[in-house]
């Protein structure tokens, strides 16, 4: 097997064995386009928001079964995105990597 095709085969195999990873840390740098929605929530804050959002959403199915459970979309979306517009307005930042 020629050397060039062998190294290409090794690169293909290495790429195939990479596992997708869940980004749990805040980004270190953001481009100028991302300055508007730079992550401002830490990992613990995000986990709490996702759990609270799922708990509130479950109220649409079990318990009182009212549409008020849809309020759970707010903490769920902000927890998944890692950005809270209210935090930006107030000036809070729980993300340890983005602190000035």
């Amino acid at each position: 097997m020629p050397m060039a095709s062998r190294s290409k085969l090794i690169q293909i195999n290495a790429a195939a064995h990479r596992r997708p990873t869940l980004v749990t840390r805040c980004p270190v740098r953001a481009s100028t386009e991302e300055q508007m929605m730079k992550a401002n929530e830490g990992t613990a804050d995000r986990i709490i928001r996702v759990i609270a959002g799922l708990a509130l959403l479950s109220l649409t199915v079990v318990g009182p079964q009212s549409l008020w459970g849809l309020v759970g979309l707010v903490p769920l979306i902000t927890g998944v995105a890692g950005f809270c517009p209210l935090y930006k307005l107030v000036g809070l930042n729980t993300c340890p990597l983005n602190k000035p």
Side-chain angles (χ1 to χ4, degrees), residues 29-42:
R29 293 185 190 158
S31 68
T32 55
E33 298 160 355
E34 295 173 340
Q35 291 295 328
M36 293 285 295
M37 286 189 51
K38 190 167 49 169
N40 60 3
E41 296 175 357

Side-chain angles (χ1 to χ4, degrees), residues 16-33:
H17 286 71
R18 289 187 196 140
R19 287 190 236 161
T21 57
L22 176 64
V23 178
T24 56
R25 288 195 241 155
C26 306
V28 176
R29 293 185 190 158
S31 68
T32 55
E33 298 160 355

